[in-house]
Amino acid sequence: MRILGRDDVRAALNGLETTVLDAVRTAYLLHGRGRSQVPFSTFLRPPETPGSRIISLPAHLGGPAPVMGLKWISSFPANVEQGLQRASSLQILNDLETGYPTALLEGSQISASRTAASAALAARALHGDREVTTVGLVGCGTINHRVAGYLTLTHPAVETVVLQDAVPGRAEALAAELSETHPGITFRAGDLAEALTAQTVSVATTDSGYWLDLADFPGRPDGQVVLHLSLRDLNTSSVLGAYNVVDDTEHTVREQTSLHRAEQETGHRDFVHAEIADVLEGTVTLPEKGTVVFSPFGLGILDLAVADAVLTAAAAAGIGSEVSGFDPGSHRVTGTPATTGRAA
């Protein structure tokens, strides 16, 4: 079994952004065509740490290069107060013929990259032919850090990015960091109202209180795309007042997401207008006015696709370690006489 630790994954992901975008796009299209298996994820919520959870996401992705495995990801928001990353993750890949594990990868960077890539890919598709010059980031953690980088690829005309965070100093710090890596773009901290006037807005916070009412910010542009990555930031009226696109309706409208609460209040799911695969296929007519909200639950097939791309890049570069002892081998133990229970 090949093992890729944190530094191995980081090295393999370096310069792999275009490949990751292509892998995510292909995974979405295959899912839309019924070429995947994505069982409902399971949530483990330890009582010792309220608000924390560990999620298990098994998946199988078909197509010309099939892959299957499991994502095991934890989210412990209190980690941030200790200077630690909120999320940690492992990705396991299995052989499709024997089921034996073939790779174990540190998964938090894979998860962040696929989240960011899926958000940026959706933003480009949902804007259609519109040129995007302004971006707003609400929440300045790892996810929006990655989102900013991928949006510069899918929105090549972007000029200004406004960052907002509830924690003082975080927006300024991220703006300074992004300014160094993307010198042609203006990154600056601003308040929530400023961030929400952008053409594309990515909302990725640790607040699950359904706190954001888009109607409180009337200056937002027509055709605005809101990337609702945390799934529990928007209130119900914001969901019901928007054109809603999801990655998978059955997955997104559950587990007390904002869309699940909207379903509970209305008794239906008519407010879900499209899935992203249909948008990418070009079979959906998008509205020219109003707000488009993309709420991705985060399908395990995306992690599989990105993990497979990382594994391929790592193998080509000689990154990672090969470890024996995970192949169970034959069902017979050699060298041990068989006993039948009968006398000779």
Side-chain angles (χ1 to χ4, degrees):
M1 184 169 71
R2 193 168 190 86
I3 295 182
L4 301 182
R6 179 188 60 246
D7 294 340
D8 299 326
V9 172
R10 180 182 296 115
L13 276 169
N14 187 33
L16 208 65
E17 289 83 3
T18 300
T19 300
V20 170
L21 282 168
D22 290 342
V24 169
R25 178 184 176 86
T26 298
Y28 272 147
L29 291 174
L30 287 170
H31 181 65
R33 297 166 187 168
R35 304 287 300 278
S36 67
Q37 294 183 57
V38 190
F40 282 143
S41 51
T42 16
F43 287 69
L44 177 65
R45 294 183 172 88
E48 298 85 358
T49 51
S52 300
R53 63 183 185 270
I54 306 179
I55 312 173
S56 170
L57 296 92
H60 174 276
L61 182 63
V67 60
M68 70 175 177
L70 172 74
K71 174 183 177 181
W72 178 249
I73 182 168
S74 69
S75 174
F76 280 50
N79 284 353
V80 177
E81 300 171 6
Q82 305 175 49
L84 302 173
Q85 293 286 350
R86 172 186 59 84
S88 61
S89 177
L90 291 174
Q91 180 73 50
I92 301 171
L93 300 183
N94 295 78
D95 184 86
L96 281 98
E97 293 185 2
T98 66
Y100 293 171
T102 58
L104 174 67
L105 301 88
E106 193 283 323
S108 64
Q109 296 170 90
I110 291 171
S111 182
S113 293
R114 69 89 164 143
T115 300
S118 67
L121 185 71
R124 179 176 64 188
L126 294 171
H127 274 293
D129 296 330
R130 286 190 295 267
E131 186 176 75
V132 176
T133 60
T134 58
V135 168
L137 303 179
V138 178
C140 294
T142 299
I143 297 299
N144 264 345
H145 187 177
R146 294 289 178 99
V147 168
Y150 276 94
L151 283 176
T152 63
L153 298 177
T154 59
H155 293 339
V158 67
E159 298 172 354
T160 304
V161 179
V162 177
L163 299 87
Q164 185 272 340
D165 195 281
V167 178
R170 290 189 74 187
E172 289 82 359
L174 183 56
E177 184 176 347
L178 291 171
S179 295
E180 292 184 3
T181 54
H182 302 86
I185 302 172
T186 298
F187 294 89
R188 63 178 180 83
D191 60 23
L192 184 59
E194 289 179 286
L196 288 174
T197 60
Q199 293 165 279
T200 294
V201 177
S202 177
V203 183
T205 81
T206 58
D207 188 334
S208 298
Y210 317 99
W211 60 277
L212 181 54
D213 189 341
L214 295 177
D216 290 339
F217 304 90
R220 296 177 300 108
D222 266 332
Q224 182 184 63
V225 172
V226 175
L227 305 171
H228 182 213
L229 305 185
S230 304
L231 290 178
R232 297 169 183 84
D233 283 305
L234 296 184
N235 67 359
T236 300
S237 62
S238 295
V239 171
L240 297 178
Y243 183 94
N244 291 285
V245 179
V246 300
D247 51 2
D248 183 287
T249 305
E250 294 299 321
H251 284 261
T252 305
V253 189
R254 63 189 292 261
E255 288 295 335
Q256 293 303 310
T257 64
S258 295
L259 283 79
H260 188 197
R261 285 169 63 93
E263 178 192 44
Q264 291 172 327
E265 289 190 21
T266 63
H268 62 75
R269 296 180 175 181
D270 296 345
F271 52 85
V272 178
H273 300 92
E275 295 186 349
I276 192 61
D278 297 321
V279 177
L280 294 173
E281 292 276 18
T283 60
V284 173
T285 301
L286 298 169
E288 294 184 4
K289 295 186 176 182
T291 301
V292 178
V293 171
F294 177 55
S295 299
F297 191 80
L299 303 177
I301 53 170
L302 304 186
D303 297 270
L304 285 179
V306 175
D308 194 46
V310 167
L311 192 62
T312 299
I319 298 171
S321 306
E322 292 289 341
V323 179
S324 61
F326 289 89
D327 181 343
S330 170
H331 69 288
R332 293 186 181 276
V333 180
T334 59
T336 301
T339 57
T340 63
R342 295 184 300 172

